[in-house]
Amino acid sequence: QVQLVESGGGLVQAGGSLRLSCAASRRIFSINTMGWYRQVPGNERELVAEITSGGSTNYADSVKGRFTISRDNAKNTVYLQMNDLKPEDGAVYYCKATVVSTTAVIFRYWGQGTQVTVSA
């Protein structure tokens, strides 16, 4: 089991920055992949960025060059630094942890979400 707690959301003007944090209840070096997703009402949840236990990263095209995902294994925390925010970045942002067991069973855990609102 992994509990995830997001924080750092809020209201920001277009062009501004926010840093989201996702604190995990277990050591994140044992978690295969951690990622940030976002969802607006009426739309499907979409991948924003993800990072593997080895440090490889993957970003949605819409955020490349503006967002940076990072992890601090000592703090069991993953961050999403969001710069040059646009109104279309406004959404509820969710943290996700994917764990693959030694028997190849995949477990997925989600945080409760944090709201990001970007004013024009």
Side-chain angles (χ1 to χ4, degrees), residues 31-43:
I31 298 174
N32 297 82
T33 304
M34 295 195 70
W36 287 97
Y37 288 69
R38 65 188 181 188
Q39 187 173 25
V40 297
N43 286 10

Side-chain angles (χ1 to χ4, degrees), residues 27 41-42 54 59 71 82 87 112:
R27 298 191 177 195
Y59 295 91
R71 57 195 295 159
M82 305 186 294
Q112 81 288 352

Side-chain angles (χ1 to χ4, degrees), residues 24-87:
S25 61
R26 63 184 269 186
R27 298 191 177 195
I28 61 173
F29 70 78
S30 67
I31 298 174
N32 297 82
T33 304
M34 295 195 70
W36 287 97
Y37 288 69
R38 65 188 181 188
Q39 187 173 25
V40 297
N43 286 10
E44 292 188 356
R45 196 170 294 186
E46 62 175 7
L47 173 69
V48 177
E50 60 186 353
I51 185 167
T52 69
S53 56
S56 298
T57 57
N58 179 44
Y59 295 91
D61 288 342
S62 59
V63 306
K64 283 180 181 176
R66 299 187 297 122
F67 291 11
T68 302
I69 189 170
S70 62
R71 57 195 295 159
D72 185 334
N73 289 344
K75 296 183 178 179
N76 298 326
T77 300
V78 173
Y79 303 99
L80 184 68
Q81 178 66 43
M82 305 186 294
N83 298 328
D84 189 24
L85 281 160
K86 305 174 187 285

Side-chain angles (χ1 to χ4, degrees), residues 12-27:
V12 65
Q13 289 187 332
S17 298
L18 283 174
R19 188 177 79 156
L20 305 183
S21 299
C22 172
S25 61
R26 63 184 269 186
R27 298 191 177 195

